[in-house]
Amino acid sequence: MANTVDSEAVLVERNGPTLTITINRPHRKNALDNAAWSGLLDALRKAAAPDIRVVVITGAGSDFCAGADLSGDRGEAHPLERMRWINEIAQTLHDMPKPVIAKVRGVAVGAGWNLALVCDFVVASQQARFSQIFARRGLSVDFGGTWLLPRKVGMLQAKRLALLGDFIDADEALDLGLATWVKPEEELDQFVDELADRLAQGPPAALAQTKAMLHAGAHQSFAEALANEARAQTVNFATDAPAALEAFRTKSTPKFAGEWLVR
């Protein structure tokens, strides 16, 4: 059920198997203060519920996220302790076993852009703008950007984006592989809804294993990847693969429950 209290920094709305997390600080371009960081972590923990199949992250109003709110009260904790707390949010999102979609309109800058990049899909409006703005604020890149950018665009482009902090538009983000799709503003919501529905109908155990193996593959040998694939398929044979096989035989649409069939 939707939480509609405007004063809350993060809203969580459930629509069937899809959980939408909305950063709700449009007056600050959805920049993240302590309350928003905390709300985001709580929302990601709620998304771990087994009946949630897909997560959508977006921002209220006309922007996605302007990164950390540097004007807010950062509390009395040591800065390193605070960064470890924020890193827990990034790690939780990265390790999410279900598909996560970033729906981006307006600005996605600093940690806000990296929040989108750590998701599995980035669907941007044609008006979206992106920047690794850290250097302009006297900061180095955080929220996983130093790990994400070189893997997505290569080291030379990563250095350009990170060291200069220039803004790029949605089309350049798409060309660089930093957006999955770019859509007209009026089509963005419907496209993301349809994408979430499609993913929610997929085999949850198989998708979770594929996502985990893709993440691990960059650090493994070919032989290790093959061994992981073999183990994953063994799990699938006793989970959703039988439903897919039966649907193929009967020329029907499979319904994937993600349940372990061996008793």
Side-chain angles (χ1 to χ4, degrees), residues 48-122:
D51 55 344
I52 298 295
R53 296 280 190 95
V54 183
V55 178
V56 177
I57 298 179
T58 192
S62 58
D63 293 291
F64 181 72
C65 178
D69 190 342
L70 301 179
S71 67
D73 180 13
R74 282 173 257 178
E76 298 180 358
H78 190 283
L80 183 57
E81 199 62 34
R82 173 180 165 79
M83 288 306 304
R84 286 172 176 159
W85 174 59
I86 292 173
N87 286 347
E88 182 182 353
I89 302 168
Q91 191 71 59
T92 300
L93 180 56
H94 176 270
D95 294 344
M96 183 72 62
K98 52 204 71 181
V100 184
I101 305 167
K103 180 167 66 174
V104 180
R105 47 173 50 94
V107 298
V109 302
W113 189 7
N114 293 333
L115 174 64
L117 290 179
V118 78
C119 296
D120 303 303
F121 302 90
V122 177

Side-chain angles (χ1 to χ4, degrees), residues 69-231:
D69 190 342
L70 301 179
S71 67
D73 180 13
R74 282 173 257 178
E76 298 180 358
H78 190 283
L80 183 57
E81 199 62 34
R82 173 180 165 79
M83 288 306 304
R84 286 172 176 159
W85 174 59
I86 292 173
N87 286 347
E88 182 182 353
I89 302 168
Q91 191 71 59
T92 300
L93 180 56
H94 176 270
D95 294 344
M96 183 72 62
K98 52 204 71 181
V100 184
I101 305 167
K103 180 167 66 174
V104 180
R105 47 173 50 94
V107 298
V109 302
W113 189 7
N114 293 333
L115 174 64
L117 290 179
V118 78
C119 296
D120 303 303
F121 302 90
V122 177
V123 187
S125 78
Q126 289 176 333
Q127 287 74 41
R129 300 170 67 237
F130 305 86
S131 171
Q132 295 287 330
I133 204 166
F134 300 94
R136 297 188 181 192
R137 303 292 182 259
L139 299 169
S140 51
V141 174
D142 65 16
F143 208 78
T146 60
W147 189 91
L148 292 161
L149 284 171
R151 285 165 171 77
K152 291 179 181 292
V153 300
M155 190 59 74
L156 288 177
Q157 289 295 342
K159 288 177 179 177
R160 172 176 76 96
L161 295 168
L163 300 183
L164 295 176
D166 291 340
F167 276 84
I168 65 171
D169 60 20
D171 288 335
E172 184 173 359
L174 183 65
D175 289 342
L176 288 170
L178 297 171
T180 321
W181 293 279
V182 172
K183 296 293 176 181
E185 172 67 28
E186 63 274 13
E187 297 177 12
L188 187 66
D189 290 335
Q190 181 178 348
F191 182 88
V192 170
D193 288 347
E194 292 174 352
L195 175 61
D197 288 343
R198 183 178 175 187
L199 290 166
Q201 292 170 20
L207 295 184
Q209 291 182 104
T210 295
K211 177 175 174 177
M213 290 188 294
L214 287 171
H215 283 176
H219 313 289
Q220 294 177 330
S221 68
F222 187 58
E224 289 170 327
L226 288 172
N228 281 340
E229 291 169 1
R231 285 188 289 268

